[in-house]
Amino acid sequence: MSTTRTSTVPVHTQFMERMSPRAFVPEALSAAQIEQLVEAARWAPSASNKQPWHFAYALRDDANWQAFSQIPNEANRRWCLNGGALIVLLSDKQASAAKHSFDAGCAWGYLALQAHAMGLATHAMGGFSADEARKVLKLPEHLVPECVIAVGRRADAATLPDDLRERELPSGRKPLVEVLSAGAVPA
């Protein structure tokens, strides 16, 4: 696979440059950096402006790190614990019963693009224990753990185990013609 991406039609370079790496430099981020990431995320659009998201985080050098490190599944713990922080994205199904997950996903996208603008990398994981997240974060029933996000400075892929190192490339995308239709969607 190519190490560079190309778009079918021109788009801002941030979309082509951003990727979800697994190689992170094992140094903590600051609370101020997390605040800057979430400040960008809070400006994401949401249905009826309900903003049904919440971000819970642990910096790798704080008292919550050990508990947060148990939330990702074993396969993801192999690499994500080198990140500078772990963030659990939650959605609030009371605030927006029908669109809470969709809106939280949009907020995640804003956070990812802000991280890229700051020279940081992010990798969202669906491989995590929602039960462990509920326990660690003492979540009420209406908050839904959507994903865990590793964030930090990118490290060289050589720091990864062999099987992960070979995957440390920008992923491709389906061609535009497969995801866009004028009018009816083809069968």
Side-chain angles (χ1 to χ4, degrees), residues 8-47:
T8 306
V9 296
V11 296
H12 193 282
T13 58
Q14 69 181 338
F15 299 105
M16 306 310 294
E17 294 169 352
R18 195 215 66 81
M19 65 172 276
S20 298
R22 290 175 182 82
F24 289 96
V25 174
E27 63 184 31
L29 296 182
S30 68
Q33 287 172 303
I34 299 298
E35 288 172 359
Q36 192 173 2
L37 294 173
V38 176
E39 177 65 18
R42 78 183 190 96
W43 291 100
S46 63

Side-chain angles (χ1 to χ4, degrees), residues 14 20 52 64 80 86 115-116 125 130 145 174 176:
Q14 69 181 338
S20 298
N64 295 312
C80 77
L86 290 175
H116 179 71
M125 298 164 267
K174 291 179 180 179
L176 187 60

